[in-house]
Structure formats: structure tokens, C-alpha cells
Amino acid sequence: MFLRKVRMGIWVLLLVGCRAVATPVAAFPTPIEWQSPTMSPTLVFPTPLVTLTPSPVPTATPMTYTVKSLDTWGAIVNRFGISSTDLQKANPSVTPDVLQIGQVLIIPPKPTGTEAVQPSPTPVELQMQFPRCYYQTGGGKWCLALIGNPGPDPVSGIYVRFSLYPSAADYPSAVREAASPLTVLPAGARTVAAAFFPPEEARDGLLRVEILSAIRLTEGAATLPVVILKETSTALADGMEVTVDYQVDPAAVSPAARLDAALTLLDAGGQPIGFRIARIEGPLAPGQVQHLTISAFALSGQPARFELILQARS
């Protein structure tokens, strides 16, 4: 569809840490929050960290299994049709004879010829960190997957499918599809895709996450440059509050219709443990200083740092 490549007209800032620059602040309406998890005390089943790796073509989708009462190492090996050696390689820190209820195991792919049908290739190369789920006191759970765009172009139309399986069955017991909270994911940026499973579905512990679609943008999207003037953060008892002063680039020829803000909280290991999406309805005049305060609460633990993306829509 796009016949030529032009200079990217998207300035979206990924913020980590804090800086302070004195700037006049103009009053602005309170952001409208959406796609935010309901925070409550949680029972956490930790998931091993998997390094982000490019996946230009489909590979075996990573899966996890939560150890339940009466589970044994041999029973899990037989259930998923894998070898004990492969399971041990995927979980090097686990002692087979000392499994604990609630412990999360990485399930490696089955031998060639017995894998489940793989999803269609995505048209761009994205990175996905191993997903992590957080149980809530009510019995439901949030599952988060960190999606990264290594570039060189921005990406739009990102849809992710979360599937829960009761065992190594061919068909999932529950499925959720989620869009990226940002219309456009800039090159070099990351965002969180999230899905909530209610108590009646959350009991199944085998999770599969697939990127269904992603479209590379080689021509400017309908976004406007955003300039960050000041940014501070405050640690909360169970989360973090971030305040920014920003403006739509004074050189923009038209006001922004809205601003999308995506805040992701990360723990010391780089795992997403909380998120918050805010949307400011415009118009936002170019050059006018605006003020935004956005907070997110951790589903588990205490955040070590944050990442914030602001995106103005024309």
C-alpha cells in the first residue's frame, strides 16, 4: 500500500528514570483510564525469565505449566509427551524430586512431528518476552506479555492471542485476544499485551501466547511528534506514579485529537509486573505545555523501574 518511504513522523519517547527541568505547567483534564487491571493482593506463581529473541518465522510457542497437587516429574513428562532430559534442560534450576504446588515449569516443544499447528507468520519481526501470570485473591488472573519492536520501522495492527490449556490437549479451554494499547509501536520501543481470565477459566495452568498480526509502517502514520519537557517519578507502597510535562511539537500544522500514554512497571529482572493506559481527549494545541500524572500498581512485588510511551494522534 505504501509506495515510498518517508522520514518517520512519529516521535514517541520511551522514558526510563527521571530528569527535572523547570517548565510552566498548563491545567489539563484528568486522563481517562482504560484497559487497567483491578489491583488487589495476589498469590504469585513466579515464571522463569526468558531473554527477548527475534522471531522472523514461527517457532515452537513457549508454554508453561503450573504444578498442582499430586503432580510428579514423571507424570508431567508423560502428560506432555516429552523426555525427562528435555524438561530438565528447559528448567535447569528445578530439582525433579522436589516439586512444589504453584511452581511454574517451562514446557519444551514436543519432538518433531508431534507439535501443535503453528500460527501464521507475522509480517514483521517482533520480540516477545516469556509471558507471566498473576493470580488475584478472587481466583482470576492477569497474564502479561512484553512485546518489543527491534525496528527499523514502526509497527501497527499488533494483535496477540492468549490461550489456556488444561493439559497437553489440542484445544484450549479459554482464549483471549488483545490489541496493543498503542496504535503504533515505534522502532526500539516495547509495550505490554494483557489478558484477564476469570476464576472459572484461570484454574488451567498451561499458557500459550501467539502474535497474530503486526504490520510494518514504511510511510508516516497519523501521529504527531510529542516533546517531553519534564519528567519525575514517585515510588508508591505498591506501585509508581509518574508525572510529565509535554507538548505537541510546535512545528505541527494541526492540533492532536488525543494523547495515548502507556506506563509499564518492571521488576529488577526486567519482567512486567504492572501497567496502566491513559487516554487524553483533545484537541491539544501544538506548543501548549500540558501536564499528565499517571500511576500504576504492581500485580506482584515492587517495581524497580518504569517505561512510559506518549503518542499523539492527529
Side-chain angles (χ1 to χ4, degrees):
M1 180 67 71
F2 301 113
L3 301 180
R4 58 192 178 88
K5 183 182 178 81
V6 299
R7 183 173 300 171
M8 185 172 68
I10 310 168
W11 294 3
V12 183
L13 300 185
L14 181 67
L15 308 176
V16 180
C18 302
R19 309 180 265 125
V21 178
T23 307
V25 178
F28 200 75
T30 302
I32 302 171
E33 298 175 355
W34 62 291
Q35 287 189 349
S36 275
T38 301
M39 303 304 170
S40 63
T42 56
L43 173 61
V44 181
F45 294 168
T47 302
L49 176 66
V50 175
T51 304
L52 289 171
T53 54
S55 53
V57 295
T59 57
T61 306
M63 295 189 296
T64 63
Y65 177 72
T66 303
V67 176
K68 298 180 176 60
S69 177
L70 303 181
D71 273 342
T72 64
W73 186 267
I76 294 173
V77 165
N78 293 332
R79 176 179 298 173
F80 294 104
I82 56 178
S83 69
S84 178
T85 300
D86 288 342
L87 185 59
Q88 184 68 76
K89 287 180 179 179
N91 302 273
S93 63
V94 176
T95 302
D97 295 335
V98 191
L99 295 180
Q100 299 178 356
I101 297 175
Q103 191 171 19
V104 177
L105 301 178
I106 297 176
I107 306 301
K110 295 180 181 179
T112 303
T114 61
E115 295 93 345
V117 176
Q118 298 298 326
S120 300
T122 55
V124 297
E125 178 181 306
L126 293 178
Q127 299 172 335
M128 182 169 65
Q129 196 167 2
F130 203 82
R132 193 171 183 178
C133 294
Y134 303 92
Y135 283 80
Q136 297 191 286
T137 53
K141 67 181 177 183
W142 278 95
C143 294
L144 308 182
L146 196 61
I147 308 296
N149 175 19
D153 300 310
V155 173
S156 182
I158 300 175
Y159 283 87
V160 179
R161 176 185 292 157
F162 294 79
S163 303
L164 285 180
Y165 291 77
S167 63
D170 294 332
Y171 300 99
S173 58
V175 175
R176 294 288 184 276
E177 292 185 3
S180 165
L182 295 170
T183 304
V184 177
L185 184 61
R190 303 187 300 182
T191 190
V192 167
F196 179 75
F197 294 91
E200 61 273 18
E201 297 174 346
R203 60 182 179 272
D204 292 333
L206 183 62
L207 175 67
R208 183 190 300 270
V209 181
E210 307 160 82
I211 298 177
L212 298 179
S213 67
I215 302 171
R216 178 179 291 113
L217 298 179
T218 55
E219 190 170 343
T223 57
L224 297 174
V226 176
V227 179
I228 299 296
L229 305 172
K230 177 183 177 182
E231 163 243 323
T232 59
S233 66
T234 303
L236 305 176
D238 52 357
M240 186 172 290
E241 180 180 86
V242 179
T243 299
V244 293
D245 300 337
Y246 67 94
Q247 62 182 187
V248 177
D249 186 7
V253 297
S254 62
R258 76 170 194 240
L259 178 96
D260 292 336
L263 174 63
T264 303
L265 303 184
L266 304 171
D267 64 14
Q271 285 280 6
I273 58 175
F275 72 99
R276 180 58 57 97
I277 307 302
R279 176 172 291 171
I280 304 294
E281 299 296 342
L284 307 177
Q288 181 179 0
V289 179
Q290 311 288 353
H291 182 79
L292 169 67
T293 297
I294 181 172
S295 60
F297 295 90
L299 291 164
S300 170
Q302 185 66 26
R305 59 191 179 93
F306 68 89
E307 295 180 354
L308 175 66
I309 299 178
L310 300 184
Q311 188 169 88
R313 296 296 309 280
S314 64

